Amino acid sequence: MKLTVVGGGSTYTPELVDGFARLRDTLPVGELVLMDPAEDRLALVGGLARRILARQDHPGRITTTTDLDEAVDGADAVLLQLRVGGQAARQQDETWPLECGCVGQETTGAGGLAKALRTVPVVLDIADRVRRTNPRAWIIDFTNPVGIVTRALLQAGHKAIGLCNVAIGLQRTFARLLDVAPTDLHLDHVGLNHLTWETAVRLGGPEGEDVLPKLLTAHGDTIATDLRLPRPLLDTLGTIPSYYLRYYYAHDEVVRDLRTKPSRAAEVADMERRLLEMYANPALDEKPDLLAERGGAYYSEAAVDLAASLLGNTGTPYQVVNTHNNGTLPFLPDDAVIEVQAAVSAKGASPLPVRPVDPLYAGLMANVTAYEHLALEAALHGGRDRVFRALLAHPLVGQYEYAETLTDRLVAHNREHLAWA
């Protein structure tokens, strides 16, 4: 089996390689191709990747290349984890929105739109080349904003599915608090990418006992601290939102916080520098502890499980993925991309039935879905007016004066990545 990682020079990659090595019975990879245009990073990451496989006696081989067509040729699945513009663009995404009093974040709000505009055309070009070379290959998107990027891929007819690590991270957290195995827990996870709620936590499967009330009673303070949301809010909701909901439920507080400390982009850039120095050490043959602070916890496990199911092997029966709505949430268009539990096989993802959604959540989902539609229109066709419309529709922007100013700043900071600008 051949898998290709586009963006293989990412400092995330050793986490992924470690997962492939540990979970070889789930996904027997014969060749893992790391593709990246940055040769210097690729050499460091590829070297460590080979040492990780050797340490764990994995029989597969690591190939590195800067040639995309060579990388995807014959691949059974292509995993996308790229960042157009690198950390420098992320730093911009997280700073100029704050100048207007709006959240500066790389996947949501104005910064998230900027990332989508840079990313969608690049991803679609990659996907077209995958389809020409190997039309049967699955495209697994881990590139943010996952919902918009996956929608672009599916709208263009690609064999694609989106993946995020939020659900698997929460599953592991809840399992630890409840002192059970993660595989014993099934989450009723519903929403859009980075806009999700756990409406039930079930022991034993989709029809198992809902232990969410017990979880909130016994461990609500711990969960609230992790989410940086007040415990009374969780008690009122009776659900557990993802930590991205803090940008909506505590927007002004988040803006104040972000204005008083270094950006996450700056922290990550420093961390990446240190990680790459570690990767250069020929004695290092395992992922360093520092990588856990980089983000993407349990990314490798989620990716291996999903790839195993899509390629007809031994993935778990149900997984949280990003895929077409197709009536699962009746208040959203069929072509919206939602993030829910699904049965995953070589035929793709079939969302499980979702219990009726509280209007408190359904309304916000519908609003953000409309924004994502407009964001994709802007990414595909360009134009200042389309960018303005998307920003005006976003619940974290909304006011026309903010939308006007943010539009100008987005274009100014991203001109080199926007062909139409």
Side-chain angles (χ1 to χ4, degrees):
M1 180 184 299
K2 176 180 176 179
L3 299 186
T4 295
V5 181
V6 178
S10 168
T11 53
Y12 273 131
T13 299
E15 163 75 24
L16 183 63
V17 174
D18 178 74
F20 286 138
R22 288 184 295 103
L23 303 171
R24 71 190 72 177
D25 292 338
T26 302
L27 188 67
V29 178
E31 181 182 7
L32 180 64
V33 182
L34 307 181
M35 182 274 157
D36 203 292
E39 292 186 70
D40 52 345
R41 293 173 64 108
L42 193 58
L44 296 176
V45 173
L48 175 56
R50 293 185 182 96
R51 296 192 297 273
I52 289 173
L53 291 193
R55 176 189 174 94
Q56 300 193 36
D57 294 322
H58 192 287
R61 66 189 179 102
I62 301 288
T63 303
T64 60
T65 181
T66 60
D67 186 314
L68 177 62
D69 294 322
E70 175 188 322
V72 302
D73 186 25
D76 296 287
V78 177
L79 197 151
L80 306 180
Q81 58 171 32
L82 57 148
R83 182 183 295 280
V84 179
Q87 293 298 333
R90 177 178 181 172
Q91 171 70 14
Q92 296 291 344
D93 294 344
E94 294 182 358
T95 51
W96 54 264
L98 289 175
E99 298 167 3
C100 300
C102 296
V103 161
Q105 212 278 332
E106 66 156 342
T107 66
T108 192
L113 175 60
K115 193 169 195 294
L117 298 183
R118 294 192 304 269
T119 304
V120 165
V122 174
V123 165
L124 289 178
D125 177 66
I126 293 169
D128 285 342
R129 291 161 77 174
V130 171
R131 182 158 54 189
R132 287 197 301 267
T133 304
N134 187 9
R136 294 188 299 174
W138 275 101
I139 297 175
I140 301 173
D141 179 62
F142 195 71
T143 296
N144 282 318
V146 168
I148 296 173
V149 173
T150 302
R151 187 169 182 170
L153 288 165
L154 292 173
Q155 184 172 297
H158 293 290
K159 192 177 175 183
I161 194 166
L163 178 66
C164 180
N165 68 320
V166 167
I168 193 172
L170 287 172
Q171 181 197 45
R172 297 312 195 261
T173 296
F174 300 159
R176 184 176 68 253
L177 293 174
L178 295 169
D179 194 25
V180 299
T183 52
D184 289 340
L185 292 183
H186 177 95
L187 305 183
D188 283 11
H189 178 101
V190 62
L192 315 178
N193 180 241
H194 291 183
L195 194 86
T196 53
W197 295 262
E198 311 309 320
T199 58
V201 178
R202 301 184 183 278
L203 279 174
E207 303 302 324
E209 176 194 1
D210 180 13
V211 296
L212 177 57
K214 296 178 183 177
L215 184 65
L216 284 173
T217 298
H219 303 287
D221 288 343
T222 297
I223 295 169
T225 298
D226 287 347
L227 298 175
R228 300 184 66 192
L229 289 170
R231 167 70 186 271
L233 175 62
L234 299 190
D235 292 335
T236 299
L237 295 177
T239 63
I240 299 178
S242 84
Y243 48 83
Y244 286 95
L245 265 298
R246 184 169 182 260
Y247 298 120
Y248 297 82
Y249 292 159
H251 176 274
D252 293 352
E253 178 186 330
V254 171
V255 169
R256 289 193 296 270
D257 287 349
L258 292 175
R259 283 174 162 171
T260 60
K261 62 183 182 182
S263 68
R264 174 62 177 166
E267 294 175 355
V268 169
D270 179 67
M271 201 177 303
E272 287 201 332
R273 176 187 57 78
R274 293 156 59 197
L275 284 168
L276 290 171
E277 290 175 356
M278 294 178 182
Y279 296 174
N281 179 1
L284 182 67
D285 59 2
E286 59 184 344
K287 62 178 183 178
D289 293 340
L290 179 61
L291 187 53
E293 300 176 29
R294 172 66 178 82
Y298 309 109
Y299 158 45
S300 64
E301 294 181 35
V304 169
D305 201 22
L306 179 56
S309 294
L310 293 172
L311 300 177
N313 291 289
T314 55
T316 55
Y318 307 116
Q319 296 159 50
V320 173
V321 297
N322 286 261
T323 191
H324 267 152
N325 179 38
N326 284 338
T328 304
L329 300 179
F331 52 88
L332 296 182
D334 284 349
D335 65 347
V337 166
I338 60 174
E339 185 173 292
V340 292
Q341 289 276 6
V344 183
S345 69
K347 295 180 180 179
S350 298
L352 301 185
V354 173
R355 292 168 176 81
V357 177
D358 189 310
L360 179 62
Y361 314 132
L364 187 53
M365 285 183 221
N367 191 338
V368 175
T369 294
Y371 152 75
E372 291 190 346
H373 171 82
L374 294 170
L376 183 53
E377 289 293 299
L380 293 174
H381 305 296
R384 186 190 184 281
D385 287 351
R386 291 189 179 92
V387 175
F388 172 79
R389 284 165 56 81
L391 287 169
L392 190 62
H394 202 298
L396 296 182
V397 179
Q399 299 181 57
Y400 77 89
E401 289 186 353
Y402 287 170
E404 287 280 5
T405 303
L406 289 168
T407 296
D408 290 337
R409 295 190 183 188
L410 184 156
V411 174
H413 285 291
N414 291 275
R415 200 176 300 278
E416 65 179 296
H417 301 291
L418 305 176
W420 53 268

